[in-house]
Amino acid sequence: MTDPSGRRAELEARNAAMREQVDSLMSELHRKTAEVREAQAKAMAITASATSRDGSVTARVDSAGALTSLEFSPNAFERTTPDKLARVATETVIAAIAKSRTELNDVLSSAQEGPSIDLSEMLPGVPSLASLIPQPPPVPTPPTSTQPPPRGRAADDDDEGGSVMERGGW
């Protein structure tokens, strides 16, 4: 038989080691949670702006990439056609979104760095902390296709009755 006092000392030592491990995990969890909160606050504060090469358009976006401001220079409408100005405005907005996303990716990647605790290894069914940190969004790139602008209605289109293709009885 084993000595009861020896068994008790062994269990107490294992219990102390487990408590130390849990304390270490909790400390790491608190540290990581604070890092995630800080990263979230930084991410929410991100704004970015871009100005077109010719200076005719300036776009500002928030952390989600939503357009918050679109400004045209005083002579923007005099120097170009509506189609070209629309294309420049679109490219400028995409450039601002790309800046915002790049900054967001930097903030999120710093939150994902370093050793991380993974409670899912110890407790089945518990999500890992890494799965709670969102993946960085893709950085948009300006369209590379040079498709012609959409055509307007032709002069010979019928105003009454819509498209010829939609009419019945012919």
Side-chain angles (χ1 to χ4, degrees):
M1 275 183 79
T2 59
D3 178 21
S5 62
R7 175 86 172 131
R8 181 174 178 85
E10 179 186 336
L11 289 174
E12 286 176 359
R14 286 175 55 192
N15 191 19
M18 186 166 283
R19 282 180 193 234
E20 187 177 315
Q21 185 179 15
V22 168
D23 288 344
S24 173
L25 285 173
M26 289 304 293
S27 175
E28 177 70 12
L29 178 63
H30 290 295
R31 187 185 67 74
K32 267 307 206 189
T33 302
E35 283 180 17
V36 168
R37 272 195 211 109
E38 183 180 336
Q40 183 182 25
K42 284 181 183 178
M44 295 303 290
I46 291 172
T47 61
S49 65
T51 301
S52 62
R53 287 186 196 143
D54 64 1
S56 63
V57 179
T58 299
R60 288 182 185 78
V61 298
D62 64 13
S63 62
L67 185 64
T68 58
S69 171
L70 185 63
E71 299 170 6
F72 296 95
S73 68
N75 60 353
F77 298 99
E78 299 167 3
R79 300 189 262 170
T80 187
T81 65
D83 287 340
K84 287 180 184 176
L85 186 58
R87 205 169 19 260
V88 167
T90 301
E91 290 169 0
T92 305
V93 169
I94 290 172
I97 293 170
K99 285 182 180 180
S100 172
R101 296 273 169 89
T102 299
E103 192 173 335
L104 181 61
N105 290 350
D106 291 345
V107 168
L108 292 179
S109 66
S110 68
Q112 292 172 331
E113 290 175 353
S116 179
I117 59 173
D118 195 357
L119 295 177
S120 63
E121 291 178 5
M122 297 176 63
L123 304 168
V126 173
S128 79
L129 188 58
S131 69
L132 300 177
I133 300 172
Q135 292 300 308
V139 176
T141 56
T144 56
S145 67
T146 54
Q147 296 177 356
R151 285 185 27 222
R153 289 176 52 108
D156 61 343
D157 281 354
D158 222 357
D159 280 340
E160 26 180 299
S163 169
V164 171
M165 300 304 287
E166 293 174 355
R167 291 187 199 147
W170 52 311

